Amino acid sequence: MNDLASYDVLIIGGGPAGSTCGTLLRKYNPSLRVLILERETFPRDHVGESLLPPLSQLLNEMGCWEKVEAAGFPIKLGATYKWGKSKELWDFEFYPAERFVDEPRPAKYAGQRLWTAFQVDRSVYDTILLDHSASLGCEVRQNARVSKVHAEGDLVMAVEMDDGEMITGRHYVDASGHSGILRRSLGVETNTATSLQNIAIWNYWENADWAVEIGVGGTRVQVMSVGYGWLWFIPLGPTRTSVGLVIPVEYYKESGKRPAELYSEALASQENIAALMVNAVSEGNLQTTKDWSFISTRHIGENWSLVGESAGFADPILAAGLTMAQVGAKEAAIAIQEILKGELDEDWIKQEFEERQMARISSHIRFADYWYTANAQFTDLKEFTAVIASENGLDLSPDKAWAWLAQGGFIDSSGALGPAGFPIDHVRNLGEFLADIEPSSAVKSSNVFRMNLEGAVLRDRVQFGMGRIEKTPCYSRGGRHLPVTGIFKYVIDLLAVSSELPEIVEEMKRHIAEKQDPNFVNNTIGVVPHALEAMISDGWVDASFDPSLPTKKLPERVGNVLHWNTDNR
């Protein structure tokens, strides 16, 4: 196969997943011959315009954060919701608006911008990323349609283009989105992991007002429940805004109405959105798509891998689609490089890649389900949300809701804290608006913490670093994983010294005095309560209360500021 290969890596699809994969392949191994085949001609519009902060870090790694920043996209600090049990508006913020400082743009990826994201016009954003991959040496062909995939069993032999050209590669990447060209050709099945089957109806508008302007170019997207679905309102630039409606496909069928009618009714009925669109002018290109969650049963094979929406899709309510697609594409690029080098065990790499992909998508599907079942304003969809809740054993009582989310793991496959990558403190704050999610905190109500490693196996897991796979020691048990690195190793070491909270607090204070490092205080000491909470929820730590011990409390980090209780000073 190597002698026949025209390219080392052939990528089907030039959207953000495909261009990210190509960029990182060439960045970390410029000798690789990489071909990206894109069936359309850019620029072209696409939904999925709202990013999450982890993607800013990845854009910086790719070397194109400055290019994206220079495009002048609105800075996303979070979202404003009309959702859940409250009819009032509430904010979910990555970075507090009151602390956001005016600064000239384009700005550097530093300071407050480490915690923000973008809202992007995909016709511009996707072009920037694809052109960037070409600038690093990827061969990019636009208006290049794959008509057939030639395979022998699980081994892809070549792709055939519309004009009959045959192209071969050592490894093939399916980044073709919902089309799933390679996935479908190989017969890889998908699971619809939820009853959450929606359609999206959207259009683009000129001259709509922003709901809020924060500093220079900062804002929040708007997510507004309309009782039978929800509206998104995403400013993409100074004058252009994406406005869409998401409704269950069954509601659409039963309504007997055309998409344009449902869309117009929703915009007129939601007073917050309607007020922003008084002066808005439609671009006149209403579009629709199916928008329901699914996950592929396989993500990597003999000489192929799936990234982006060919691998799976989670409902857009969490705005995680692009972030998941590009993070998965990064991991695919690094996995492919290591497989081609042949220095590490290929089966181990593939197993780890697939497990991380499936866990990432599944956790977002689970969290999206929670958001729908917790929306008391879905008056026309009570039966719909009741089915989802019943399927997942979710009764939305505080303890049960928290326990159900924890079934997806509070330590994800990359070592991040919180379900679906959302910080634990952010998730707890949802209780005020959704369905009283916060149970009594095991960390706050306990003062004895003991490691529980019974039945766990210590093994190496994949850590996708800067261009290479690193081996990370990790305890594994029952599908849960505890990395023995970073904050988790720090907590493990703390509990090895003592299981009693007063001594744990004194040990932390001793470390602070020794290091004299503000970053250590904020980024390690300040995260200990969250790490401990996750370790308890995932069964790695047993927590209890001993009334004979003196009162001590762990410090709490609020935003990026560490607060000590007075008895700990």
Side-chain angles (χ1 to χ4, degrees):
M1 186 68 182
N2 290 356
D3 294 335
L4 298 174
S6 299
Y7 295 89
D8 293 303
V9 184
L10 189 156
I11 300 171
I12 306 173
S19 55
T20 296
C21 188
T23 288
L24 293 174
L25 283 166
R26 286 287 301 179
K27 174 180 177 177
Y28 292 123
N29 191 344
S31 67
L32 289 177
R33 296 163 295 163
V34 180
L35 173 65
I36 300 176
L37 299 172
E38 169 53 49
R39 69 181 179 182
E40 299 187 53
T41 300
F42 285 16
R44 55 91 179 98
D45 282 320
H46 201 287
V47 285
E49 299 125 334
S50 192
L51 315 186
L52 297 177
L55 193 44
S56 294
Q57 180 179 353
L58 179 53
L59 291 172
N60 189 58
E61 180 182 351
M62 292 165 62
C64 62
W65 193 90
E66 289 81 2
K67 295 179 181 179
V68 175
E69 166 67 5
F73 297 127
I75 302 168
K76 179 181 176 183
L77 276 73
T80 297
Y81 290 88
K82 186 175 182 182
W83 193 273
K85 67 180 184 179
S86 172
K87 294 185 178 181
E88 302 301 317
L89 303 184
W90 54 277
D91 298 328
F92 186 81
E93 294 186 320
F94 310 133
Y95 191 87
E98 66 274 10
R99 291 175 51 202
F100 190 76
V101 178
D102 283 353
E103 61 181 355
R105 296 189 69 187
K108 299 292 185 182
Y109 180 64
Q112 63 187 6
R113 296 302 302 278
L114 299 176
W115 307 95
T116 64
F118 292 102
Q119 295 156 208
V120 298
D121 186 324
R122 289 286 299 275
S123 66
V124 179
Y125 179 78
D126 291 14
T127 302
I128 291 172
L129 297 192
L130 189 58
D131 288 349
H132 184 69
S133 68
S135 74
L136 267 68
C138 292
E139 181 181 334
V140 175
R141 299 191 197 177
Q142 298 189 51
N143 194 28
R145 184 180 294 271
V146 174
S147 62
K148 185 176 181 180
V149 175
H150 294 266
E152 294 182 2
D154 199 49
L155 185 69
V156 179
M157 306 301 294
V159 299
E160 183 175 342
M161 307 304 291
D162 266 356
D163 62 3
E165 180 187 6
M166 302 287 286
I167 310 174
T168 61
R170 296 171 65 193
H171 195 98
Y172 299 78
V173 177
D174 187 349
S176 63
H178 273 287
S179 299
I181 293 170
L182 195 63
R183 184 194 75 221
R184 295 175 191 271
S185 296
L186 291 169
V188 177
E189 296 181 351
T190 62
N191 288 330
T192 303
T194 171
S195 293
L196 196 61
Q197 297 189 6
N198 294 333
I199 64 166
I201 309 167
W202 76 96
N203 203 341
Y204 297 97
W205 299 75
E206 290 289 333
N207 299 321
D209 295 325
W210 287 17
V212 59
E213 295 187 38
I214 304 165
V216 179
T219 188
R220 286 188 290 265
V221 302
Q222 306 294 299
V223 176
M224 301 288 149
S225 168
V226 289
Y228 51 88
W230 59 276
L231 286 163
W232 78 66
F233 181 96
I234 306 174
L236 306 179
T239 63
R240 196 174 195 231
T241 301
S242 171
V243 185
L245 171 67
V246 178
I247 55 175
V249 66
E250 288 301 319
Y251 181 87
Y252 164 63
K253 291 177 180 178
E254 292 172 5
S255 73
K257 298 177 181 179
R258 297 180 64 82
E261 185 179 358
L262 287 166
Y263 184 76
S264 296
E265 288 179 357
L267 265 58
S269 68
Q270 213 300 305
E271 56 186 16
N272 303 91
I273 301 298
L276 299 174
M277 301 184 68
V278 172
N279 300 314
V281 178
S282 168
E283 292 186 3
N285 185 25
L286 190 75
Q287 301 176 63
T288 64
T289 186
K290 67 179 185 179
D291 210 9
W292 57 74
S293 302
F294 74 93
I295 186 169
S296 297
T297 55
R298 297 179 65 202
H299 294 254
I300 194 165
E302 186 69 27
N303 66 337
W304 56 267
S305 53
L306 311 180
V307 297
E309 290 182 19
S310 68
F313 179 78
D315 188 273
I317 186 61
L318 301 179
L322 260 185
T323 303
M324 287 197 299
Q326 290 186 246
V327 169
K330 169 190 170 169
E331 295 180 355
I334 297 173
I336 292 166
Q337 288 185 89
E338 295 287 13
I339 289 170
L340 293 178
K341 286 178 181 176
E343 297 173 3
L344 298 173
D345 182 77
E346 181 175 334
D347 291 338
W348 174 68
I349 294 173
K350 289 180 176 179
Q351 177 184 346
E352 291 282 311
F353 172 78
E354 183 159 276
E355 185 175 327
R356 285 170 67 107
Q357 286 272 84
M358 296 190 75
R360 180 182 298 116
I361 299 168
S362 297
S363 65
H364 278 85
I365 291 173
R366 174 181 289 270
F367 206 11
D369 278 0
Y370 174 79
W371 278 70
Y372 278 84
T373 58
N375 191 345
Q377 295 183 52
F378 275 178
T379 54
D380 293 349
L381 299 178
K382 292 186 183 298
E383 182 177 344
F384 167 72
T385 55
V387 169
I388 300 173
S390 175
E391 287 178 345
N392 292 291
L394 186 65
D395 66 8
L396 297 186
S397 67
D399 286 331
K400 291 290 180 63
W402 190 259
W404 180 80
L405 286 173
Q407 290 175 27
F410 270 48
I411 303 171
D412 77 11
S413 55
S414 66
L417 293 167
F422 288 85
I424 290 177
D425 52 343
H426 284 198
V427 176
R428 285 195 178 282
N429 291 339
L430 296 176
E432 180 181 353
F433 304 101
L434 293 181
D436 298 318
I437 194 172
E438 182 173 4
S440 57
S441 169
V443 170
K444 293 182 179 179
S445 61
S446 305
N447 60 6
V448 177
F449 305 98
R450 290 188 172 88
M451 291 297 303
N452 178 2
L453 299 176
E454 184 178 355
V457 176
L458 183 63
R459 65 183 179 95
D460 286 332
R461 298 206 70 211
V462 162
Q463 183 68 36
F464 293 95
M466 302 291 280
R468 292 301 306 266
I469 281 178
E470 301 165 3
K471 292 184 177 181
T472 300
C474 184
Y475 287 108
S476 296
R477 178 180 60 201
R480 300 292 174 85
H481 308 288
L482 176 66
V484 190
T485 57
I487 182 60
F488 302 109
K489 185 177 187 306
Y490 181 75
V491 173
I492 292 170
D493 290 344
L494 275 178
L495 301 189
V497 173
S498 177
S499 61
E500 298 180 354
L501 185 58
E503 293 184 16
I504 293 171
V505 169
E506 291 306 310
E507 185 73 1
M508 292 167 66
K509 290 167 68 176
R510 185 177 67 79
H511 293 163
I512 293 172
E514 286 178 352
K515 288 187 177 290
Q516 295 290 312
D517 181 357
N519 289 328
F520 172 75
V521 173
N522 284 325
N523 299 326
T524 299
I525 297 296
V527 185
V528 166
H530 301 310
L532 196 52
E533 181 96 57
M535 292 166 73
I536 293 168
S537 297
D538 282 5
W540 299 110
V541 172
D542 295 329
S544 60
F545 180 75
D546 183 346
S548 68
L549 294 176
T551 301
K552 287 284 183 181
K553 293 183 180 179
L554 290 168
E556 294 183 277
R557 190 176 73 173
V558 180
N560 210 29
V561 179
L562 190 67
H563 295 271
W564 285 93
N565 293 284
T566 54
D567 61 351
N568 288 335
R569 291 186 183 276

